[in-house]
Amino acid sequence: MVLGELTAGVVSPAVSPLTAVGGAVIDAVPPAVKDWAIAVFGTSDKVALLVGMALVIAGLAAVAGVLEYRRRFAGASVIAVFGLAGVAAVLMRQQATPAAVAVPLLVAVAAVILLRVLTGRLHQWAEPETETGAEGEPPRRSFLQLLAGGAVITAVGGVLATVWRGASVVVNEARQQLQLPAAKSAAPPIPDGAEVELDGMEPLVTPNDDFYRIDTALTVPAIDPGKWVLRVTGRVGEEIGLTFAELLAKPLIERHVTIACVSNEVGGDLIGNARWLGWPVRELLALARPQADADMVLSRSTDGWTASTPLDVLTDSRDAMLAVGMNGEPLPLEHGFPVRLVVPGLYGYVSATKWLTELKVTRFADDVAYWTPRGWSDHGPIKMSSRIDVPRGGRPVTAGTVMFGGVAWAQHTGISKVELRVNRGGWQQAELAPGISVDTWYQWKLGIGLGPGQHEVQVRATNLDGETQAEERRAVAPDGATGFHTIRVDVNP
Ligand SMILES: Nc1nc2c(c(=O)[nH]1)N[C@H]1C(S)=C(S)[C@@H](COP(=O)(O)O)O[C@H]1N2
Ligand SMILES: [Mo]
């Protein structure tokens, strides 16, 4: 496998056997398994997948070894099947090239040769008459030497492959050198008191390093901004190709927008608020002149991932943008460098395409996005929700006035009210901090007098249209969870 990753690093940096198989697994898992993986491993789900793959590969290698030792080519056939599976996985990738297809074959051939040589030496070792072989080297030592040598080469090669495949190293350098222009239209200032002073609250603006990350990319795409082009295609009066330099020369805007993942459970943390710098998508679409019958934009990432966004959401007055900056820096590689979409009010899976390369103006009737055939709705407006962050997870508090605090969001509508109730009693109105805008979350706090014992505390929000958050508990699939965030607080005397 290390040989495969090294070879792929040279001949097809975008697709290696490991990432192709991993990508195929990610594309094939049912939504329930995906939810489970996110619930158990959080944003380490990709590391978990790679570790899982390593264990499966080690297991198959062991099986191949035992079989080959017993019967010539029995283990080799396991490897052959494995190699063909690798070829199939590579063929399914968007960026598959003939060279990329050859890599798993090369890996299989190398593995069979190694297996033959190793089992050959093991047989010699087992034969008593060759124990003091005439050729000098005792077979036991020659087997162990080959095994140890192989392990060392694998370890060194593994390190090399990791560094090599980090084409991201180069792109990171380009990112570091990049000077983003200032916004023509600056972000509205954060109102006084928007950030509630309470121990344990999350920052109102999420630092880039703490921002949740969700995507299907096993290795972070490394795109050279100098070579980036965004194509606007499909049902348009005029197709457009926009370079990064051209994009930076546009009048940019800067806005705080809270984006959220459809897989965010009630009370979950797959949500974050950042200050995004970008160019309104509506201005680019206006240049392309969408046809009257178009109702959707299928945005595509360099790795083939797609999202379906209603055309009217991208062309109305909200600040849907081609974002290049996040909290005053170029986008981090994991968050879509050099350009991603940010659309206030929609879940990420139908709007927030990272490593953006194409906007295809089309119709919901004609095109489906990545998650649609996998059990998720083709439309995904963010559902109003609220969360209790303080007191922090199960930490006991002392009887008396207990301070509660958290966030509430109803992107592009705004929050008017947050209420709490204890043990299903009457709703008590929390102190709602001013929001940065209707497109961001709002913080809130409330002191409640609590006696000793365990109490159940729930939160609900009401938006600026006067609608209150749904109480009915619904799962994240197909279009976002509902229900009240409910915590249990242990109060000491
Ligand atoms: N290219 C690409 N863009 C993507 C995704 C993806 O899998 N691939 N996932 C989307 C989903 S489901 C979400 S919730 C957001 C998350 O953005 P973040 O990782 O910057 O927080 O990105 C969206 N953009
Ligand atoms: Mo998501």
Side-chain angles (χ1 to χ4, degrees):
M1 294 314 300
V2 164
L3 176 72
E5 295 306 291
L6 277 174
T7 318
V10 187
V11 301
S12 70
V15 186
S16 76
L18 264 185
T19 56
V21 171
V25 171
I26 292 173
D27 292 353
V29 291
V33 176
K34 177 207 154 215
D35 294 342
W36 172 85
I38 291 180
V40 175
F41 301 113
T43 40
S44 307
D45 53 350
K46 283 173 209 64
V47 179
L49 175 61
L50 288 172
V51 170
M53 282 169 59
L55 292 178
V56 170
I57 291 166
L60 281 171
V63 169
V66 171
L67 288 178
E68 187 70 24
Y69 184 71
R70 293 195 185 146
R71 215 173 128 236
R72 222 158 184 260
F73 294 118
S77 54
V78 171
I79 292 174
V81 170
F82 203 29
L84 290 178
V87 170
V90 168
L91 283 174
M92 280 157 58
R93 293 289 97 189
Q94 181 92 3
Q95 306 122 301
T97 58
V101 175
V103 176
L105 295 176
L106 172 77
V107 170
V109 169
V112 168
I113 292 173
L114 188 61
L115 185 65
R116 287 299 313 149
V117 173
L118 276 171
T119 44
R121 300 212 179 161
L122 209 51
H123 277 300
Q124 284 176 11
W125 178 6
E127 302 281 331
E129 59 269 29
T130 58
E131 196 127 55
T132 48
E135 281 132 274
E137 285 281 341
R140 175 166 168 271
R141 189 194 285 174
S142 105
F143 170 77
L144 291 177
Q145 270 175 353
L146 187 61
L147 203 60
V152 169
I153 293 173
T154 303
V156 172
V159 172
L160 267 180
T162 312
V163 174
W164 203 321
R165 303 230 353 118
S168 50
V169 176
V170 179
V171 173
N172 242 320
E173 194 53 38
R175 175 180 177 273
Q176 233 113 61
Q177 302 299 323
L178 196 66
Q179 288 284 338
L180 290 180
K184 284 277 176 321
S185 160
I190 297 180
D192 282 343
E195 187 134 28
V196 162
E197 306 282 333
L198 198 58
D199 246 12
M201 290 286 283
E202 260 193 40
L204 183 63
V205 180
T206 317
N208 291 354
D209 287 344
D210 298 340
F211 209 94
Y212 82 95
R213 175 187 165 201
I214 293 287
D215 53 63
T216 60
L218 205 49
T219 51
V220 176
I223 304 175
D224 178 349
K227 297 192 184 123
W228 180 87
V229 183
L230 175 63
R231 307 211 173 276
V232 186
T233 62
R235 295 173 179 268
V236 288
E238 186 165 313
E239 297 209 341
I240 294 181
L242 181 77
T243 67
F244 193 63
E246 286 165 346
L247 175 57
L248 291 191
K250 300 291 182 190
L252 304 184
I253 62 170
E254 201 164 28
R255 299 286 182 265
H256 287 94
V257 178
T258 301
I259 67 169
C261 182
V262 69
S263 296
N264 195 30
E265 304 281 352
V266 170
D269 57 5
L270 299 180
I271 177 167
N273 182 39
R275 179 163 47 86
W276 307 96
L277 173 74
W279 189 42
V281 193
R282 60 171 181 274
E283 293 184 24
L284 176 62
L285 289 173
L287 296 178
R289 289 180 284 115
Q291 290 164 12
D293 57 356
D295 64 2
M296 187 256 269
V297 172
L298 189 78
S299 52
R300 184 181 297 274
S301 144
T302 177
D303 61 1
W305 188 89
T306 50
S308 54
T309 312
L311 180 62
D312 54 6
V313 170
L314 295 177
T315 49
D316 70 13
S317 63
R318 86 185 70 193
D319 297 312
M321 62 170 112
L322 301 164
V324 295
M326 183 176 183
N327 291 327
E329 290 176 23
L331 291 178
L333 265 55
E334 311 80 59
H335 294 291
F337 184 81
V339 182
R340 75 174 304 170
L341 276 174
V342 172
V343 182
L346 301 190
Y347 285 123
Y349 83 106
V350 287
S351 70
T353 305
K354 306 191 272 189
W355 314 293
L356 183 70
T357 57
E358 186 192 351
L359 296 177
K360 180 184 180 192
V361 178
T362 177
R363 304 189 305 178
F364 279 101
D366 297 340
D367 276 297
V368 287
Y370 183 88
W371 284 112
T372 311
R374 294 177 169 85
W376 299 85
S377 168
D378 57 359
H379 282 67
I382 296 179
K383 292 180 179 167
M384 168 171 32
S385 197
S386 49
R387 191 178 76 191
I388 305 173
D389 291 337
V390 178
R392 278 271 161 206
R395 202 168 295 165
V397 294
T398 317
T401 301
V402 178
M403 286 308 299
F404 290 84
V407 281
W409 58 92
Q411 281 90 330
H412 212 58
T413 309
I415 293 291
S416 66
K417 187 164 72 175
V418 171
E419 298 161 295
L420 268 67
R421 71 177 175 191
V422 180
N423 302 325
R424 314 254 162 168
W427 288 103
Q428 309 177 41
Q429 196 164 337
E431 196 182 308
L432 182 65
I436 304 174
S437 81
V438 293
D439 295 333
T440 64
W441 58 16
Y442 295 55
Q443 295 193 343
W444 56 264
K445 69 172 176 186
L446 180 64
I448 303 181
L450 291 179
Q454 194 185 62
H455 303 280
E456 180 206 76
V457 182
Q458 292 181 299
V459 64
R460 73 172 185 191
T462 300
N463 68 18
L464 280 165
D465 288 342
E467 295 153 9
T468 296
Q469 191 184 325
E471 176 165 16
E472 187 199 344
R473 288 176 157 273
R474 281 169 59 183
V476 291
D479 61 1
T482 63
F484 298 155
H485 186 210
T486 305
I487 65 165
R488 269 162 198 82
V489 189
D490 286 309
V491 181
N492 293 332

